[in-house]
Amino acid sequence: RLAPGALSCGRLGGCARRLSALADFSGEEQVGHDPLLERSVDEATLHWCKTVTSGAADNWQRVSALYDQDALLWGTVSEDLRGEQDLVDYFKYFAMIPGLSLREGSYKSNVQILSEDAAINSGYYTFEIPQDNGDVKAVPARFTFVYRRRDEPIDGCEWAIVNHHSSAIPEQPGALKDILAKR
């Protein structure tokens, strides 16, 4: 479900720019396995994790600044595809949840370098959300961040998020579990 205005005419131009920037590389330009680039992309994702859970008074602004101006977001606790102001509004809620944290040791990732200026990081993490009754709700989630290198770093981060999908991990159907168990 798209948030209102998520793909207006202006958004389509942004989508086209984003796709061309990420797809505009040939096999010759691909970087492949570069440990330094992979580490910098992983650090960008860890920076996002630390920022979104920091509890700072201006947290939603700090998190939103990590996204490119035409970025798209499928948020962990949202039914809508968000861009522009809808993305900012999502973090006015999510990044401001009192006590929001990432479960220690839950972060795992796999970085793919597409070019010197484009990368993908996919993996999983578990958010912990305090409840009104004192319990803590664990939300295991999977993520994919698509990054484009910035001309100028923001908050020490050289990578801008151009697309981010985070969703709660569903329970696997029994039939799939059976297939996987036979391997």
Side-chain angles (χ1 to χ4, degrees):
R1 193 168 110 204
L2 293 176
L7 290 178
S8 66
C9 292
R11 298 290 310 136
L12 290 175
C15 293
R17 281 192 310 276
R18 188 170 37 259
L19 290 173
S20 67
L22 292 175
D24 188 24
F25 60 89
S26 69
E28 297 169 321
E29 295 176 27
Q30 278 186 314
V31 176
H33 179 71
D34 181 334
L36 291 176
L37 272 178
E38 289 174 9
R39 185 169 34 251
S40 74
V41 170
D42 198 49
E43 287 172 357
T45 306
L46 287 167
H47 180 71
W48 179 91
C49 291
K50 290 175 188 164
T51 304
V52 81
T53 60
S54 74
D58 64 345
N59 211 25
W60 65 270
Q61 294 163 313
R62 294 175 59 227
V63 173
S64 299
L66 300 175
Y67 289 80
D68 201 60
Q69 68 181 10
D70 60 352
L72 294 175
L73 167 72
W74 280 109
T76 308
V77 296
S78 175
E79 296 177 355
D80 299 321
L81 178 62
R82 297 174 179 273
E84 299 172 339
Q85 187 60 46
D86 289 329
L87 185 148
V88 172
D89 291 343
Y90 175 79
F91 287 113
K92 285 180 179 178
Y93 164 72
F94 189 73
M96 303 309 292
I97 295 173
L100 178 69
S101 63
L102 213 58
R103 178 175 286 165
E104 184 75 30
S106 71
Y107 175 86
K108 305 277 189 272
S109 71
N110 186 327
V111 174
Q112 297 172 286
I113 302 297
L114 303 178
S115 73
E116 290 285 336
D117 297 316
I120 300 170
N121 192 4
S122 296
Y124 55 94
Y125 41 42
T126 299
F127 286 106
E128 294 184 324
I129 303 173
Q131 303 297 293
D132 291 338
N133 66 2
D135 291 344
V136 175
K137 179 181 179 182
V139 182
R142 54 194 173 184
F143 65 80
T144 298
F145 288 86
V146 179
Y147 291 102
R148 177 174 40 221
R149 189 184 302 269
R150 295 181 185 276
D151 293 331
E152 296 291 326
I154 291 182
D155 198 20
C157 188
E158 65 181 319
W159 295 97
I161 302 165
V162 296
N163 194 298
H164 176 193
H165 176 208
S166 181
S167 58
I169 296 174
E171 184 176 336
Q172 290 185 24
L176 178 57
K177 289 179 185 177
D178 293 342
I179 290 169
L180 295 174
K182 291 178 184 177
R183 287 204 232 159

Coordinates of all heavy atoms in Angstrom, one line a residue, residues 40-92:
S40 N 32.7 -0.1 5.3 CA 32.1 1.3 5.4 C 30.6 1.2 5.2 O 29.9 2.0 5.8 CB 32.8 2.2 4.4 OG 32.3 2.0 3.1
V41 N 30.1 0.3 4.3 CA 28.6 0.1 4.1 C 28.0 -0.5 5.4 O 27.0 0.0 5.9 CB 28.3 -0.7 2.9 CG1 26.9 -1.1 2.8 CG2 28.8 0.0 1.6
D42 N 28.7 -1.5 6.0 CA 28.2 -2.1 7.2 C 28.2 -1.1 8.3 O 27.2 -1.0 9.1 CB 29.0 -3.3 7.6 CG 28.3 -4.2 8.6 OD1 27.1 -4.5 8.3 OD2 28.9 -4.6 9.6
E43 N 29.2 -0.2 8.4 CA 29.2 0.8 9.4 C 28.1 1.8 9.2 O 27.6 2.4 10.2 CB 30.6 1.5 9.4 CG 31.7 0.7 10.0 CD 33.1 1.3 9.8 OE1 33.2 2.3 9.1 OE2 34.1 0.6 10.3
A44 N 27.7 2.1 8.0 CA 26.6 3.0 7.7 C 25.3 2.4 8.3 O 24.5 3.1 8.9 CB 26.4 3.3 6.2
T45 N 25.1 1.1 8.1 CA 23.9 0.4 8.7 C 24.0 0.4 10.2 O 23.0 0.7 10.9 CB 23.8 -1.0 8.1 OG1 23.8 -0.9 6.7 CG2 22.5 -1.6 8.5
L46 N 25.1 0.1 10.8 CA 25.2 0.2 12.2 C 25.0 1.6 12.8 O 24.4 1.8 13.8 CB 26.6 -0.3 12.6 CG 26.8 -1.8 12.5 CD1 28.3 -2.2 12.6 CD2 26.0 -2.6 13.5
H47 N 25.5 2.6 12.0 CA 25.2 4.0 12.4 C 23.7 4.3 12.4 O 23.2 4.9 13.3 CB 26.0 4.9 11.4 CG 25.8 6.4 11.7 ND1 26.4 7.0 12.8 CD2 25.1 7.4 11.1 CE1 26.0 8.2 12.9 NE2 25.2 8.5 11.9
W48 N 23.0 3.8 11.4 CA 21.5 3.9 11.4 C 20.9 3.3 12.6 O 20.1 3.9 13.3 CB 21.0 3.3 10.1 CG 19.5 3.4 10.0 CD1 18.7 4.5 9.5 CD2 18.5 2.5 10.6 NE1 17.4 4.2 9.7 CE2 17.2 3.0 10.3 CE3 18.6 1.3 11.3 CZ2 16.1 2.4 10.7 CZ3 17.4 0.7 11.6 CH2 16.2 1.2 11.4
C49 N 21.4 2.0 12.9 CA 20.9 1.3 14.1 C 21.1 2.1 15.4 O 20.2 2.2 16.2 CB 21.5 -0.1 14.2 SG 21.1 -1.2 12.9
K50 N 22.3 2.6 15.6 CA 22.6 3.4 16.8 C 21.8 4.7 16.8 O 21.4 5.1 17.9 CB 24.1 3.7 16.8 CG 24.9 2.5 17.1 CD 26.4 2.8 17.0 CE 27.2 1.5 17.1 NZ 28.6 1.6 16.7
T51 N 21.6 5.3 15.7 CA 20.9 6.6 15.6 C 19.4 6.4 15.9 O 18.9 7.1 16.7 CB 21.1 7.3 14.2 OG1 22.5 7.4 14.0 CG2 20.4 8.6 14.2
V52 N 18.8 5.4 15.3 CA 17.4 5.2 15.5 C 17.0 4.8 16.9 O 15.9 5.1 17.4 CB 16.8 4.2 14.4 CG1 17.1 2.7 14.9 CG2 15.3 4.4 14.2
T53 N 18.0 4.2 17.6 CA 17.7 3.8 19.0 C 18.4 4.7 20.0 O 18.4 4.3 21.2 CB 18.2 2.3 19.2 OG1 19.6 2.3 18.9 CG2 17.5 1.4 18.3
S54 N 18.9 5.8 19.6 CA 19.6 6.7 20.5 C 18.8 7.4 21.6 O 19.3 7.7 22.7 CB 20.4 7.7 19.8 OG 19.6 8.8 19.3
G55 N 17.5 7.6 21.3 CA 16.7 8.3 22.3 C 16.9 9.8 22.3 O 16.3 10.5 23.2
A56 N 17.7 10.3 21.4 CA 17.9 11.8 21.4 C 16.7 12.6 21.1 O 15.8 12.1 20.4 CB 19.0 12.1 20.4
A57 N 16.6 13.8 21.7 CA 15.4 14.6 21.5 C 15.2 14.9 20.0 O 14.0 15.1 19.6 CB 15.5 15.9 22.3
D58 N 16.2 15.0 19.2 CA 16.1 15.3 17.8 C 16.3 14.1 16.9 O 16.7 14.2 15.8 CB 17.1 16.4 17.4 CG 18.5 16.0 17.5 OD1 18.8 14.9 18.2 OD2 19.4 16.6 17.0
N59 N 16.0 12.9 17.5 CA 16.3 11.7 16.9 C 15.7 11.5 15.5 O 16.3 11.1 14.5 CB 15.8 10.5 17.8 CG 16.7 9.3 17.6 OD1 17.8 9.4 17.2 ND2 16.1 8.2 17.9
W60 N 14.4 11.9 15.4 CA 13.7 11.7 14.1 C 14.4 12.5 13.0 O 14.5 12.1 11.8 CB 12.2 12.1 14.2 CG 11.9 13.5 14.5 CD1 11.8 14.1 15.7 CD2 11.8 14.6 13.5 NE1 11.5 15.4 15.6 CE2 11.5 15.7 14.3 CE3 11.8 14.6 12.2 CZ2 11.3 17.0 13.7 CZ3 11.6 15.9 11.5 CH2 11.3 17.0 12.3
Q61 N 15.0 13.7 13.3 CA 15.7 14.5 12.4 C 17.0 13.9 12.0 O 17.4 13.9 10.8 CB 15.9 15.9 12.9 CG 14.6 16.7 13.1 CD 14.8 17.9 14.0 OE1 15.4 17.8 15.1 NE2 14.2 19.0 13.6
R62 N 17.7 13.4 13.0 CA 19.0 12.7 12.7 C 18.9 11.5 11.9 O 19.7 11.2 11.0 CB 19.7 12.4 14.1 CG 20.0 13.7 14.9 CD 20.6 13.4 16.2 NE 21.8 12.6 16.1 CZ 22.0 11.5 16.9 NH1 21.1 11.1 17.8 NH2 23.1 10.8 16.8
V63 N 17.8 10.7 12.1 CA 17.6 9.5 11.3 C 17.2 9.9 9.9 O 17.7 9.4 8.9 CB 16.5 8.6 12.0 CG1 16.2 7.4 11.0 CG2 17.0 8.1 13.3
S64 N 16.3 10.8 9.8 CA 15.8 11.2 8.5 C 16.9 11.8 7.6 O 16.9 11.6 6.4 CB 14.7 12.3 8.6 OG 13.6 11.8 9.3
A65 N 17.9 12.4 8.2 CA 19.0 13.0 7.5 C 19.9 11.9 6.9 O 20.7 12.2 5.9 CB 19.9 13.9 8.4
L66 N 19.8 10.7 7.3 CA 20.6 9.6 6.8 C 20.1 9.1 5.4 O 20.7 8.3 4.7 CB 20.7 8.4 7.7 CG 21.3 8.7 9.1 CD1 21.2 7.5 10.0 CD2 22.7 9.2 9.0
Y67 N 18.9 9.5 5.1 CA 18.2 9.1 3.8 C 18.4 10.2 2.7 O 18.5 11.4 3.0 CB 16.7 9.0 4.0 CG 16.4 7.7 4.9 CD1 16.5 7.8 6.3 CD2 16.0 6.6 4.3 CE1 16.3 6.7 7.0 CE2 15.7 5.4 5.0 CZ 15.9 5.5 6.4 OH 15.6 4.4 7.2
D68 N 18.6 9.7 1.5 CA 18.7 10.6 0.3 C 17.3 11.3 0.2 O 16.3 10.8 0.6 CB 19.0 9.8 -0.9 CG 19.6 10.6 -2.0 OD1 20.6 11.2 -1.8 OD2 18.9 10.7 -3.1
Q69 N 17.3 12.5 -0.5 CA 16.1 13.3 -0.6 C 15.0 12.5 -1.3 O 13.8 12.8 -1.1 CB 16.4 14.6 -1.2 CG 16.8 14.5 -2.7 CD 17.0 15.9 -3.3 OE1 17.2 16.9 -2.6 NE2 17.2 15.9 -4.6
D70 N 15.3 11.6 -2.2 CA 14.3 10.9 -2.9 C 14.2 9.4 -2.5 O 13.7 8.6 -3.2 CB 14.4 11.0 -4.4 CG 15.8 10.4 -4.9 OD1 16.6 10.1 -4.1 OD2 16.0 10.3 -6.1
A71 N 14.6 9.1 -1.2 CA 14.6 7.8 -0.7 C 13.2 7.2 -0.5 O 12.2 8.0 -0.4 CB 15.3 7.7 0.6
L72 N 13.1 5.9 -0.5 CA 11.8 5.2 -0.2 C 12.0 4.3 1.0 O 13.1 3.7 1.1 CB 11.3 4.4 -1.4 CG 10.9 5.2 -2.7 CD1 10.6 4.3 -3.8 CD2 9.7 6.1 -2.3
L73 N 11.0 4.1 1.8 CA 11.1 3.3 3.0 C 9.8 2.4 3.1 O 8.7 2.9 3.1 CB 11.2 4.2 4.2 CG 11.0 3.6 5.6 CD1 12.2 2.7 5.9 CD2 10.7 4.6 6.6
W74 N 10.1 1.1 3.3 CA 9.0 0.2 3.9 C 9.4 0.0 5.3 O 10.4 -0.7 5.6 CB 9.1 -1.1 3.2 CG 8.4 -1.2 1.8 CD1 9.0 -1.3 0.6 CD2 7.0 -1.2 1.5 NE1 8.1 -1.4 -0.4 CE2 6.8 -1.3 0.2 CE3 5.9 -1.1 2.3 CZ2 5.6 -1.3 -0.4 CZ3 4.6 -1.1 1.7 CH2 4.5 -1.2 0.4
G75 N 8.8 0.7 6.2 CA 9.2 0.7 7.7 C 8.8 -0.6 8.3 O 7.8 -1.2 8.0
T76 N 9.5 -1.0 9.4 CA 9.2 -2.2 10.1 C 7.8 -2.3 10.7 O 7.2 -3.3 10.7 CB 10.2 -2.3 11.3 OG1 11.5 -2.1 10.8 CG2 10.1 -3.6 12.0
V77 N 7.3 -1.2 11.1 CA 5.9 -1.2 11.7 C 5.0 -0.3 10.9 O 4.0 0.3 11.5 CB 6.0 -0.7 13.2 CG1 6.8 -1.7 14.1 CG2 6.5 0.7 13.3
S78 N 5.1 -0.3 9.6 CA 4.3 0.5 8.8 C 3.7 -0.4 7.6 O 4.4 -1.2 7.1 CB 5.0 1.7 8.2 OG 4.2 2.4 7.3
E79 N 2.5 -0.1 7.2 CA 1.9 -0.8 6.1 C 2.2 0.0 4.8 O 1.8 -0.5 3.7 CB 0.4 -0.9 6.2 CG 0.0 -1.8 7.4 CD -1.5 -1.8 7.6 OE1 -2.2 -1.1 6.9 OE2 -1.9 -2.6 8.5
D80 N 2.7 1.2 4.8 CA 2.9 2.1 3.7 C 4.3 2.2 3.2 O 5.2 2.2 4.0 CB 2.4 3.5 4.1 CG 0.9 3.5 4.5 OD1 0.1 2.8 3.9 OD2 0.6 4.2 5.4
L81 N 4.4 2.3 1.9 CA 5.7 2.7 1.2 C 5.8 4.2 1.4 O 4.8 4.9 1.1 CB 5.7 2.3 -0.2 CG 6.9 2.7 -1.0 CD1 8.2 2.0 -0.5 CD2 6.7 2.3 -2.5
R82 N 6.9 4.7 2.0 CA 7.0 6.1 2.3 C 8.2 6.8 1.6 O 9.2 6.2 1.5 CB 7.2 6.2 3.8 CG 6.0 5.7 4.6 CD 6.2 5.7 6.1 NE 5.0 5.2 6.8 CZ 4.0 6.0 7.2 NH1 4.0 7.3 6.9 NH2 3.0 5.5 7.8
G83 N 7.9 8.0 1.2 CA 9.0 8.8 0.7 C 8.7 10.3 1.1 O 7.7 10.6 1.7
E84 N 9.7 11.1 0.9 CA 9.6 12.5 1.3 C 9.1 12.7 2.7 O 9.6 12.2 3.6 CB 8.8 13.2 0.2 CG 9.4 13.1 -1.2 CD 8.6 13.7 -2.3 OE1 7.3 13.8 -2.1 OE2 9.1 14.0 -3.3
Q85 N 8.0 13.5 2.8 CA 7.5 13.9 4.2 C 7.0 12.6 4.9 O 7.1 12.5 6.1 CB 6.5 15.0 4.1 CG 6.0 15.5 5.4 CD 7.1 16.1 6.3 OE1 7.9 16.9 5.7 NE2 7.2 15.7 7.5
D86 N 6.4 11.7 4.2 CA 5.9 10.5 4.8 C 7.0 9.7 5.5 O 6.8 9.1 6.6 CB 5.2 9.5 3.8 CG 3.9 10.1 3.3 OD1 3.2 10.8 4.1 OD2 3.5 9.8 2.2
L87 N 8.2 9.7 4.9 CA 9.3 9.0 5.5 C 9.7 9.7 6.8 O 9.9 9.1 7.9 CB 10.5 9.0 4.6 CG 11.8 8.3 5.0 CD1 12.5 7.7 3.7 CD2 12.8 9.2 5.7
V88 N 9.8 11.1 6.8 CA 10.1 11.9 8.0 C 9.0 11.6 9.1 O 9.4 11.4 10.2 CB 10.2 13.4 7.6 CG1 10.3 14.2 8.9 CG2 11.3 13.6 6.7
D89 N 7.8 11.6 8.7 CA 6.7 11.4 9.7 C 6.8 10.0 10.3 O 6.5 9.9 11.5 CB 5.3 11.5 9.0 CG 5.0 13.0 8.6 OD1 5.7 13.9 9.1 OD2 4.1 13.2 7.8
Y90 N 7.2 9.0 9.6 CA 7.4 7.6 10.1 C 8.4 7.7 11.3 O 8.2 7.1 12.3 CB 7.8 6.7 9.1 CG 8.2 5.3 9.6 CD1 7.1 4.4 9.9 CD2 9.5 4.9 9.8 CE1 7.4 3.1 10.4 CE2 9.8 3.6 10.3 CZ 8.7 2.8 10.6 OH 9.0 1.5 11.1
F91 N 9.5 8.4 11.1 CA 10.5 8.5 12.1 C 10.2 9.4 13.2 O 10.7 9.3 14.3 CB 11.9 8.8 11.5 CG 12.5 7.6 10.8 CD1 12.6 7.7 9.4 CD2 12.8 6.4 11.4 CE1 13.1 6.6 8.7 CE2 13.2 5.3 10.7 CZ 13.4 5.4 9.4
K92 N 9.2 10.3 13.0 CA 8.7 11.1 14.2 C 8.0 10.1 15.1 O 7.9 10.4 16.3 CB 7.7 12.1 13.7 CG 8.4 13.3 13.0 CD 7.4 14.4 12.6 CE 8.1 15.5 11.9 NZ 7.1 16.5 11.4

